[in-house]
Amino acid sequence: MASTSSTPLSISSSSSLIDAKASRQSAVASPQCVSLPTLPPPVQPQNRPWKATAYCRKIARNVMTMATGEAPAEVASTELPEIVKAVQEAWDKVEDKYAVSSLVIAGGVALWGSTGLISAIDRLPLIPGVLELVGIGYSGWFAYKNLVFKPDREALIAKIKDTYKEVIGSS
């Protein structure tokens, strides 16, 4: 019965594999052990005592708030930014909050859909280049028609002011 022997491999000091069959000088095969470098110990997740401390402080604040019925001093002393106050005041003035909420959601959906449409058009081979040329041409035409000569500039400024007054209302 013929015995099947696999070709033993050894690792040299330069970590390259050398075929032991080629370096074997005698016909007798000697078993060789291959040793691999040891792996570094597994990386332990970093302990985050600051996170646990912040969580405990948050729980303590909530318990203190529920027990006393008032906000703790550090929460009460923080002021909201001006933009948040302005938004809150504007929201309080709105009478039909359902309609405004619906319009905001519809606007978000429309924005999402339009970005999808624009990205689909952008993937077409010739359309983006053609649209860029159209945009450059229209910008040049607008600048020549409305911005180059002084009477045209004054007419454009007057038209912008009239449109602004129509939108905002004259007060």
Side-chain angles (χ1 to χ4, degrees):
M1 193 162 161
S3 67
T4 58
S5 66
S6 63
T7 305
L9 297 175
S10 65
I11 298 179
S12 69
S13 63
S14 66
S15 297
S16 63
L17 293 176
I18 300 174
D19 189 4
K21 194 177 211 181
S23 66
R24 193 173 4 164
Q25 295 179 359
S26 65
V28 179
S30 64
Q32 295 179 354
C33 296
V34 176
S35 64
L36 296 174
T38 59
L39 295 174
V43 178
Q44 299 293 330
Q46 297 176 353
N47 294 335
R48 298 182 207 159
W50 56 269
K51 192 172 186 179
T53 315
Y55 182 70
C56 291
R57 284 184 188 149
K58 183 178 178 183
I59 290 175
R61 243 183 312 186
N62 291 342
V63 168
M64 188 169 60
T65 301
M66 290 188 312
T68 61
E70 61 186 42
E74 52 188 58
V75 173
S77 66
T78 60
E79 292 190 22
L80 297 173
E82 292 293 322
I83 186 79
V84 175
K85 288 181 183 179
V87 169
Q88 285 178 343
E89 289 172 5
W91 184 252
D92 291 338
K93 290 179 184 178
V94 171
E95 291 179 13
D96 194 4
K97 293 182 169 114
Y98 179 75
V100 172
S101 301
S102 299
L103 286 173
V104 167
I105 290 172
V109 169
L111 182 66
W112 176 70
S114 64
T115 57
L117 179 70
I118 289 172
S119 67
I121 289 173
D122 194 35
R123 281 185 251 139
L124 295 173
L126 294 176
I127 302 296
V130 170
L131 290 177
E132 187 175 355
L133 287 175
V134 168
I136 291 171
Y138 181 77
S139 298
W141 174 81
F142 180 84
Y144 176 74
K145 178 145 174 63
N146 295 312
L147 302 175
V148 173
F149 302 109
K150 188 173 182 176
D152 296 331
R153 275 195 307 266
E154 291 171 352
L156 178 65
I157 291 171
K159 187 174 182 180
I160 291 172
K161 287 181 180 179
D162 290 340
T163 305
Y164 179 77
K165 286 180 183 176
E166 286 179 17
V167 171
I168 301 299
S170 57
S171 359

